[in-house]
Amino acid sequence: MSNDNNTHANDITFRYATRDDLPAIVALLADDEKGKTREELRDPLPDAYYAAFDAMESQSTDALPNKYLLAIKGTDNGSDIVGCLQLTLIAGLSRRGQLRTQIEGVRVASTARGQKIGEKLIHQSISISKSLGAVLVQLTTDKTRKDAHRFYERLGFVASHEGMKMSLDPK
């Protein structure tokens, strides 16, 4: 799926993000309890967001995308970005060299929650993953996000591994 190709799921359009979408994406990332403390939402956005987006784009190919997928809902005033996630196809040697997809940064606007937008976004990501040959979709979610755990389990995800992280932030 390229930036020019949109797919529809009922009233939601999905497309890959462009640099122009960064303010809306960062606003979504900051629109929850954890994101409020991690993101820096100001105008103009810090250059670090643009550098990160450019790095993702430079690593991305049609065969191995590293993209932000957007859910866009049409409104009377145009269209609004109401959800996003980062979708990365990972090539690796494990599982006999099969591809896997990593889903990160899943967010739905607080004003659009309860409309199955997150579910549609995940299903679209799974569909893209399958079309690119991935055999596994994986994601992590903070242990304190109990509602998110129930959401992912309802969609068929299994908590099969214990994830670990180490912050390298000098703060």
Side-chain angles (χ1 to χ4, degrees), residues 6 9 11 26 29 35 37 48 52 60 67-68 75 87 90 95 105-106 108 120 125 146 148 150 162-164 167:
N6 294 337
D11 60 340
V26 174
L29 293 173
T37 63
S60 187
K67 303 272 189 181
Y68 256 88
T75 65
L87 181 66
I90 303 167
R95 295 180 179 259
V106 180
V108 173
K120 292 173 184 177
S125 297
K146 300 302 180 193
R150 286 189 291 277
E162 184 75 18
M164 301 178 126
S167 178

Side-chain angles (χ1 to χ4, degrees), residues 3-15:
N3 281 338
D4 347 325
N5 294 337
N6 294 337
T7 32
H8 300 276
N10 299 331
D11 60 340
I12 302 295
T13 301
F14 298 97
R15 68 170 172 78

Side-chain angles (χ1 to χ4, degrees), residues 81-108:
I81 296 172
V82 292
C84 68
L85 60 75
Q86 183 177 342
L87 181 66
T88 305
L89 198 64
I90 303 167
L93 295 177
S94 66
R95 295 180 179 259
R96 298 186 188 128
Q98 295 175 323
L99 297 171
R100 68 181 66 208
T101 301
Q102 178 77 26
I103 295 175
E104 293 282 337
V106 180
R107 295 292 191 282
V108 173

Side-chain angles (χ1 to χ4, degrees), residues 17-36:
T18 66
R19 234 172 169 265
D20 292 339
D21 296 316
L22 280 177
I25 294 169
V26 174
L28 283 171
L29 293 173
D31 187 24
D32 81 358
E33 290 304 312
K34 298 256 181 237
K36 281 184 216 179

Side-chain angles (χ1 to χ4, degrees), residues 23-166:
I25 294 169
V26 174
L28 283 171
L29 293 173
D31 187 24
D32 81 358
E33 290 304 312
K34 298 256 181 237
K36 281 184 216 179
T37 63
R38 292 187 250 194
E39 304 309 331
E40 191 176 341
L41 185 58
R42 62 179 164 86
D43 187 19
L45 283 179
D47 290 340
Y49 288 108
Y50 291 98
F53 186 86
D54 292 344
M56 288 171 51
E57 285 290 300
S58 73
Q59 296 167 4
S60 187
T61 66
D62 287 339
L64 294 171
N66 184 4
K67 303 272 189 181
Y68 256 88
L69 181 65
L70 303 178
I72 301 171
K73 187 170 190 170
T75 65
D76 294 338
N77 301 333
S79 56
D80 294 323
I81 296 172
V82 292
C84 68
L85 60 75
Q86 183 177 342
L87 181 66
T88 305
L89 198 64
I90 303 167
L93 295 177
S94 66
R95 295 180 179 259
R96 298 186 188 128
Q98 295 175 323
L99 297 171
R100 68 181 66 208
T101 301
Q102 178 77 26
I103 295 175
E104 293 282 337
V106 180
R107 295 292 191 282
V108 173
S110 56
T111 57
R113 292 182 189 141
Q115 300 175 34
K116 299 209 179 272
I117 292 168
E119 185 174 321
K120 292 173 184 177
L121 196 55
I122 295 294
H123 285 307
Q124 183 68 17
S125 297
I126 291 168
S127 177
I128 292 168
S129 299
K130 285 180 181 178
S131 74
L132 293 169
V135 299
L136 180 79
V137 177
Q138 61 191 29
L139 55 84
T140 60
T141 184
D142 193 284
K143 286 185 176 190
T144 63
R145 294 182 186 265
K146 300 302 180 193
D147 289 341
H149 296 189
R150 286 189 291 277
F151 169 74
Y152 293 123
E153 287 169 356
R154 184 172 55 79
L155 295 179
F157 288 85
V158 177
S160 61
H161 291 69
E162 184 75 18
M164 301 178 126
K165 294 184 180 186
M166 177 189 292

